[in-house]
Amino acid sequence: MLGVTDLPTYLAAVVLIVLLPGPNSLYVLSVASRRGVKEGYKAACGVFTGDTVLMVLTAVGAGALLQASPVLFTVVKVLGAGYLGWLAVGMMRAAAVMWRARRTREEEPDAAAAEPAGAAERPYRRALLVSLLNPKAILFLLSFFVQFVDPGYAHPALSFLLLGTVSQLVSFLYLSTLIFAGTRLSAAFRRRKRLSAGATSAAGVIFLGFAAKLAIS
């Protein structure tokens, strides 16, 4: 089918890969839980855009370029780790504000102050950068996609297009589930400030872990 050798196996593999926790899905869940469905989908669109760019780059050979240039790979890897670390610090600072607000019990000023901070977050741009600043994604896509492309097929670009489309559809379903689950969580977060502050702190720590793992890998 359009040069794809084993579509059912590829679909099963994509589902398992998408379900693995990563910075993209965690950020979408975080935005949805704090800002609602609309902002959650803005973050998801950033992820889709970034993944699409990486898939196109993979198809034209950017993955081979990164493999052939350790210096370029290192530069992109450091940028990605730095950005994830910056997001983690921002989450921890937001959590510190929540803990202080909870102690003072100034619920109305806290809610008013949270709105501009969320508006300035720009979830689409942040999610896009998280996706793009991940050189391992390009290398993974290259090594993963080629396993399901028939080398004798005359139009391999169509094969990559089909594989990428399937991957994006699975990702859309998964992120949609996270977004609507996140809005359910947001109601609990609004009622329980300690839960909200704790979850934001945990997200910051996890993002620091992603940054460290990318930096030393």
Side-chain angles (χ1 to χ4, degrees), residues 6-21:
D6 194 347
L7 187 58
T9 300
Y10 171 77
L11 180 59
V14 166
V15 170
L16 292 176
I17 291 166
V18 167
L19 290 177
L20 292 174

Side-chain angles (χ1 to χ4, degrees), residues 2 19 21 33-34 44 72 97 106 127 134 157 162:
L2 295 179
L19 290 177
S33 65
R34 291 181 286 109
L72 178 59
V97 171
E106 295 175 352
N134 185 4
L162 176 59

Side-chain angles (χ1 to χ4, degrees), residues 32-205:
S33 65
R34 291 181 286 109
R35 304 292 297 163
V37 171
K38 182 179 179 179
E39 296 299 307
Y41 270 109
K42 286 183 181 179
C45 286
V47 173
F48 299 145
T49 304
D51 287 349
T52 299
V53 170
L54 293 180
M55 289 175 186
V56 171
L57 290 176
T58 299
V60 300
L65 174 62
L66 285 180
Q67 285 180 319
S69 177
V71 174
L72 178 59
F73 179 82
T74 300
V75 169
V76 179
K77 182 173 69 172
V78 170
L79 288 175
Y83 187 72
L84 290 178
W86 181 75
L87 285 180
V89 172
M91 289 181 178
M92 291 180 175
R93 290 177 61 188
V97 171
M98 292 177 188
W99 286 115
R100 289 196 297 268
R102 177 181 175 273
R103 285 196 297 268
T104 56
R105 299 183 180 276
E106 295 175 352
E107 298 294 337
E108 292 302 324
D110 178 59
E115 190 67 24
E121 184 174 348
R122 299 178 182 176
Y124 174 84
R125 187 174 69 177
R126 286 196 175 188
L128 175 61
L129 288 174
V130 169
S131 295
L132 292 178
L133 294 176
N134 185 4
K136 292 171 64 178
I138 297 180
L139 297 176
F140 168 76
L141 289 173
L142 179 69
S143 60
F144 182 62
F145 278 6
V146 295
Q147 299 178 48
F148 299 94
V149 175
D150 182 0
Y153 186 64
H155 305 286
L158 294 178
S159 305
F160 277 99
L161 177 62
L162 176 59
L163 294 174
T165 300
V166 171
S167 177
Q168 291 288 61
L169 287 174
V170 173
S171 179
F172 172 78
L173 294 175
Y174 176 61
L175 292 181
S176 293
T177 301
L178 291 183
I179 288 169
F180 285 100
T183 55
R184 295 290 185 90
L185 290 173
S186 66
F189 287 164
R190 285 193 295 269
R191 291 193 303 267
R192 301 179 61 183
K193 297 299 180 182
R194 178 182 296 180
L195 176 62
S196 179
T200 304
S201 301
V205 171

